[in-house]
Amino acid sequence: MGLATARAFARAGAAVVLADLDRKAAERASEDLTDAGHRALGLGCDVAAEEQAAAMVDIMKQQPIGRLGAADEIADAVLWLCGPGAGFVIGTALPVDGGFTVH
C-alpha cells in the first residue's frame, strides 16, 4: 500500500505501520500522522532482507490477532462499504485493523 492509502486508513481510525527502505521518510510520514492525532509507526525495512522481514514479523505479533491484515480482507471491507449491504451505514469509521485500535 502507498502513503495515500495509509493516510486514508489512519483518517478512518486505523493504526498504521509505514515501512519503507528510506527509514527517515517513513518516520517523517508517521510523525505527520501522529501530529494529526492518528496512531502510526514509521520503520525502515527492506522486506527482501531476511532479518528485516523477521523484525516486521515481531511487529505483527503486537497485533491482537498476531498478524497484519491481508489486502483482500481490507478490500472486502471497502467493497462492503461501497455496496448495497452498507446502504444504511452513514458517517462511521470501520476499523479493519485486527483489533489494534481497541488494544
Side-chain angles (χ1 to χ4, degrees), residues 11-101:
R11 282 192 303 271
V16 296
V17 175
L18 306 170
D20 195 307
L21 284 170
D22 184 346
R23 179 183 55 82
K24 290 193 183 289
E27 289 173 350
R28 280 191 305 270
S30 173
E31 287 172 12
D32 290 344
L33 289 170
T34 56
D35 288 348
H38 306 296
R39 294 176 51 187
L41 175 64
L43 302 170
C45 182
D46 178 359
V47 295
E50 191 172 325
E51 69 280 356
Q52 291 184 32
M56 286 297 295
V57 170
D58 288 338
I59 291 167
M60 287 186 262
K61 289 179 181 175
Q62 295 176 24
Q63 293 288 329
I65 62 172
R67 64 180 181 82
L68 292 178
D72 63 325
E73 292 172 309
I74 296 167
D76 286 344
V78 172
L79 290 172
W80 177 76
L81 283 170
C82 295
F88 200 66
V89 177
I90 305 286
T92 189
L94 176 65
V96 184
D97 65 2
F100 193 82
T101 302

